[in-house]
Amino acid sequence: MERMTGFDASLLYMETAQQPLVVGGVLFVDVSGLEVGYFFEWLRTELGRRVKELPELRRKIYDSPLNLGHPAWVEEYDLDITAHVRRVDVDHPGDDRAVFEMCGTLGSRPLDRSRPLWEMWVLERLTEPDTIVVYFRAHHAILDGANGADILRTFASAGQQPSARDLDMVRVEAGNANPIRLLAGGWWDFSVRRPLTLARLVPEVAALPFTLRRATAARKKSDDPAPEATGTADATDDLVVVPRAAPFTAPRTRFNATITPHRAVWGASLDLGEISEIKDAFGVTVNDVFLAVSRSPPCRWAVDSTWGSTPASIWPPTPIYWPPRSGRRWPDCWNSPGRRRGRRPPGSADTWNG
């Protein structure tokens, strides 16, 4: 049994019927190169063997009404792969629009918390011959985007012979359920660790009114000409980030509406060669480039439709992945997302200061 981290547990606490905290990916797979041909039952059997090497897909929630701490992860030793890998036929005509609409319908379904928090749908009967679509969904509490990509790469190697899983299976287990350990650890967290954590937060909470006052004062000063406009900017100006608006003063947009459980999925094509050039030029990963590109359209829409030429700036957050430090033990190293904010001046469609 492994106690959940505070971050993983918070993702479970914040989830509602209208706000499922599930990450997913859509893969178009060419099956024409399979020597044995494509059969769904064969594919599901191979994926079931690959799950043995992926501990994050074999763990499930373990909790009790008497537990005063965070829930725990336990091993699902008898994982039923048929409950996680299923297939569905795409609606006519089977084009990309029909595929994404089907993914949106499947993505609106909540995950069963009595099982490991993931599922995979295989979409068949597409217009393009010898092609299937794999729609993978998993709860954010068990993985983030970077680890999800690693899992899909492991799944993609199914069918290789000889299989490393048969020769030397990797068994990193969460362990069995232990009610005494669950309750004792929950009592310790509630009576000792949480009071100490709250005590450390008191100074930050006490300083919050002063932080808000400084932000409001900075907003009043934003009406003054910017250093760039007066020609007095120096080389260090891009390293100093000054708030341009007080908290909770952003204008309402079309996104400020009631959230429903229904989801929409869509996709776009990018030139992998261009992405690789950007990656090499800045010394980052493909995932970093993709995240930077994906945040641009909503910000461009906000500039054109909401703020226009007003002096307020946009502060779009970009999710980033913090690689686990060496020596971190499972499960702490599986979910390591972070966030970074970069200022974007209004009216600038493609220029970023981050």
Side-chain angles (χ1 to χ4, degrees):
M1 188 186 75
E2 294 284 350
R3 181 78 58 174
M4 287 187 189
T5 64
F7 178 77
D8 292 347
S10 68
L11 295 172
L12 294 175
Y13 301 151
M14 292 188 295
E15 187 176 43
T16 64
Q18 292 74 28
Q19 181 179 274
L21 297 180
V22 179
V23 296
V26 181
L27 287 83
F28 287 77
V29 183
D30 183 2
V31 296
S32 61
L34 295 176
E35 297 180 359
V36 298
Y38 166 72
F39 300 97
F40 172 74
E41 290 75 13
W42 167 84
L43 176 64
R44 182 166 58 187
T45 301
E46 287 291 337
L47 294 177
R49 294 169 59 240
R50 299 281 162 168
V51 168
K52 297 175 183 178
E53 191 180 337
L54 299 169
E56 63 270 32
L57 299 188
R58 301 193 317 267
R59 54 182 179 172
K60 63 180 181 179
I61 302 173
Y62 176 58
D63 200 5
S64 169
L66 300 179
N67 178 28
L68 299 178
H70 297 316
W73 297 115
V74 296
E75 184 81 7
E76 177 66 285
Y77 291 103
D78 299 322
L79 188 144
D80 182 9
I81 194 63
T82 62
H84 294 271
V85 180
R86 287 166 283 187
R87 66 176 169 182
V88 63
D89 293 336
V90 178
D91 296 334
H92 183 77
D95 55 2
D96 289 352
R97 178 178 292 275
V99 168
F100 289 125
E101 288 180 354
M102 179 63 70
C103 292
T105 301
L106 298 174
S108 303
R109 298 158 46 100
L111 295 174
D112 186 356
R113 290 197 174 190
S114 65
R115 298 191 179 100
L117 300 177
W118 67 276
E119 65 179 7
M120 179 179 292
W121 290 90
V122 179
L123 282 60
E124 301 177 341
R125 294 191 178 182
L126 274 66
T127 302
E128 189 174 353
D130 297 325
T131 301
I132 62 173
V133 171
V134 176
Y135 180 38
F136 176 76
R137 303 177 65 226
H139 201 282
H140 210 327
I142 67 172
L143 54 84
D144 54 28
N147 290 324
D150 292 337
I151 289 174
L152 293 178
R153 280 194 293 270
T154 301
F155 276 146
S157 63
Q160 294 182 355
Q161 297 295 335
S163 175
R165 285 125 216 102
D166 297 334
L167 301 178
D168 184 17
M169 288 172 39
V170 179
R171 296 290 292 176
V172 180
E173 300 178 357
N176 292 312
N178 189 327
I180 297 179
R181 182 181 173 188
L182 177 72
L183 299 181
W187 178 86
W188 175 262
D189 288 344
F190 181 80
S191 60
V192 178
R193 296 183 61 182
R194 291 188 186 180
L196 293 176
T197 302
L198 291 175
R200 288 195 300 266
L201 291 176
V202 169
E204 298 181 14
V205 175
L208 184 59
F210 301 98
T211 303
L212 295 177
R213 174 176 292 185
R214 287 196 299 269
T216 304
R219 183 192 179 195
K220 295 179 180 179
K221 295 180 180 180
S222 63
D223 295 334
D224 298 336
E228 294 84 350
T230 58
T232 60
D234 54 36
T236 62
D237 287 338
D238 58 347
L239 302 178
V240 180
V241 177
V242 180
R244 295 286 183 172
F248 312 111
T249 59
R252 293 187 63 84
T253 68
R254 62 181 301 177
F255 304 115
N256 297 111
T258 301
I259 299 177
T260 70
H262 305 291
R263 294 295 176 264
V265 179
W266 195 249
S269 299
L270 297 176
D271 189 331
L272 185 58
E274 295 181 358
I275 297 295
S276 298
E277 291 180 4
I278 299 174
K279 171 185 72 71
D280 296 337
F282 290 93
V284 296
T285 64
V286 172
N287 186 63
D288 296 331
V289 178
F290 173 76
L291 291 175
V293 172
S294 63
R295 79 172 184 174
S296 181
C299 293
R300 184 179 295 111
W301 176 89
V303 169
D304 297 338
S305 304
T306 306
W307 282 275
S309 60
T310 60
S313 295
I314 303 173
W315 295 74
T318 297
I320 58 177
Y321 171 70
W322 298 105
R325 297 186 301 271
S326 59
R328 291 181 62 181
R329 61 191 300 267
W330 181 85
D332 296 341
C333 59
W334 289 114
N335 216 358
S336 304
R339 187 173 66 172
R340 184 177 185 272
R341 289 182 178 271
R343 188 179 68 180
R344 180 174 191 172
S348 173
D350 299 298
T351 302
W352 292 90
N353 292 323

